[in-house]
Each structure stands twice: as structure tokens, then as C-alpha cells.
Amino acid sequence: FCTTAWAKAADTAPWRYAGPSGPENWGELKSEYGLCKSGKEQSPIDIQNAMKYPFEPVSFSYHPNKVSVLNNGHTIQVSAPDSGSVSLPTGAFSLVQIHFHAPAEEKIEGRTYPLGAHLVHRNDAGELAIVALMFEEGAHNTALEPIFAAMPRKAGGRATLGSANIADLLPVNHNAYAFMGSLTKPPCTEGVRWNVLTTAVQLSPAQLEAFRAIYPMNARPVQPLNSRSVVVGH
């Protein structure tokens, strides 16, 4: 089901980021969305008091490839099949797509970032691993430029970029907070391996406003940590 949920070009299910079909009611909209209400390992979270642990930073093996930029009605999504993979302690996960949230869904020690990117990966068993990247306002982001220039304003719109290297979006430091969580949209499927990069990258105020002009707010509120632990490499 995870595969299907991420592969659909546009999700026509009746959920939104505000109003009667907003996050607080996702679990009531459809029986398949029950985990949005009852799940105990839901994402996003406010990352607090992470335990230091001697594990390696996330290892990225991305390469340039043709990608498509889609407005799926909930976010801007960059489909990037055959663009590389990440290596985690549990094995290799292939990059499937990237999408953006304003503001970033994860918080770090209570801090909210104006934009976040989720880099979604899947392994041969169909398990998901998501790497989250925080953006803060500052310098113009040249790696983001072609993606944001291609953003379709209307839901269902799609554009193709001849070549993009997703690695260019990443900070030099690949250290990350790691924890188990869920998809941050319905059906809120759990069992997702999360790695939130500790180092943010910058984008210009104009770039941030370009995204907000399409999606002013598309973030799920933070969820209870419950009994989970969060570890960070050192």
C-alpha cells in the first residue's frame, strides 16, 4: 500500500491541511486512515533530547537524472526514479520522490523552519525511509532554482526537467536524527525509518514566497513521541 500511496499522481481522497477535513479529523475521514488517529508512532515530531549514538551519517549515492515536477494537490512533488539511493544501517533504499512542506513539519528543539523537504526512499521489500531536510531563509539556493522555476501552479500540472542532481540540495554534513515514524499524510502508515538532517540549508525569501504562493501552509502538526527514542550520530 505504501507503494501505491506514493505512486499516485494525484490523491483524490477528501483530506486537507485545514478545515473539517484537516489533520485533527484525518482518522475519521476513511477507515483506511485510522492510524492517523490511533497510531502510536506518528510523524512529524518535535525532536527533543536526542540520545547521542555512534552511528555513521546517512550515506547518499545520488546521480543526475531526468525528473518530473508535479503539483499533486497537496504539495509540489519531484518524481526521481533511478536517481540513486541512500545507505542506512538496515540496508539500501532507492530514491522515489521528493516533496516540500511549508512550514517544515519536523521541529528541532522547538524550532520551526519555514520550509522542509522529504526525500522518500523505498527498499526491495517495500519499506520506506524518509530523509528530512530543513530550509532557513538566507542566500539564494541555486540547486532549488530549476525545481521551483518549474513548479506548476495548478493541481495536476506536471513539468519535466532534463537533468537534476538531487545531491546538490544536501548540506555537506549528513549527520541526522533517527527514529521510527509514519507517513505525515493519510493513510499515516507506520514503520517508516526517519532521518532528519541536523544541518539546514538556505533559500532566499523570494524562493520561499514562490512556494507559499502555491501552498501557504501544507504541514501536519507535530505528533506525540510516546515511547519512541530519538538518536543522533556523533
Side-chain angles (χ1 to χ4, degrees):
F1 190 87
C2 293
T3 303
T4 305
W6 284 113
K8 292 199 303 188
D11 192 333
T12 55
W15 62 272
R16 298 288 182 268
Y17 284 104
S21 55
E24 66 278 5
N25 295 319
W26 284 351
E28 312 288 347
L29 297 176
K30 291 178 69 174
S31 59
E32 298 96 313
Y33 297 173
L35 276 176
C36 300
K37 180 179 181 180
S38 64
K40 301 301 183 186
E41 292 190 343
Q42 288 290 293
S43 296
I45 62 171
D46 184 353
I47 296 167
Q48 303 267 3
N49 305 315
M51 297 182 294
K52 292 185 178 180
Y53 193 79
F55 64 85
E56 295 295 316
V58 181
S59 177
F60 295 91
S61 298
Y62 292 165
H63 52 80
N65 203 4
K66 183 168 70 174
V67 302
S68 62
V69 182
L70 168 71
N71 183 331
N72 68 8
H74 298 292
T75 186
I76 298 297
Q77 175 179 307
V78 181
S79 298
D82 304 316
S83 294
S85 62
V86 294
S87 293
L88 301 176
T90 50
F93 292 75
S94 297
L95 179 64
V96 179
Q97 54 104 325
I98 307 167
H99 60 269
F100 299 89
H101 295 277
E105 294 189 304
E106 297 73 31
K107 295 183 180 181
I108 300 177
E109 299 288 351
R111 178 180 176 182
T112 299
Y113 291 81
L115 186 76
H118 288 165
L119 291 73
V120 183
H121 305 77
R122 186 170 53 238
N123 67 9
D124 292 340
E127 299 168 324
L128 294 178
I130 300 179
V131 176
L133 172 63
M134 307 291 113
F135 291 84
E136 57 190 6
E137 287 192 67
H140 181 79
N141 190 311
T142 55
L144 207 54
E145 185 175 331
I147 295 171
F148 274 24
M151 289 189 296
R153 296 188 62 85
K154 293 184 177 180
R158 183 189 297 268
T160 300
L161 297 181
S163 181
N165 189 358
I166 304 306
D168 294 341
L169 290 173
L170 301 171
V172 174
N173 180 5
H174 296 163
N175 210 21
Y177 301 100
F179 54 93
M180 293 301 295
S182 73
L183 299 182
T184 65
K185 66 168 200 172
C188 305
T189 309
E190 296 186 339
V192 178
R193 294 167 174 83
W194 278 89
N195 286 267
V196 178
L197 296 176
T198 60
T199 301
V201 296
Q202 295 186 348
L203 83 167
S204 69
Q207 288 177 305
L208 179 60
E209 287 310 309
F211 183 87
R212 285 177 171 168
I214 303 173
Y215 288 107
M217 198 293 289
N218 65 337
R220 185 190 193 189
V222 293
Q223 303 296 304
L225 185 63
N226 294 321
S227 59
R228 285 175 287 175
S229 59
V230 179
V231 297
V232 62
H234 72 96

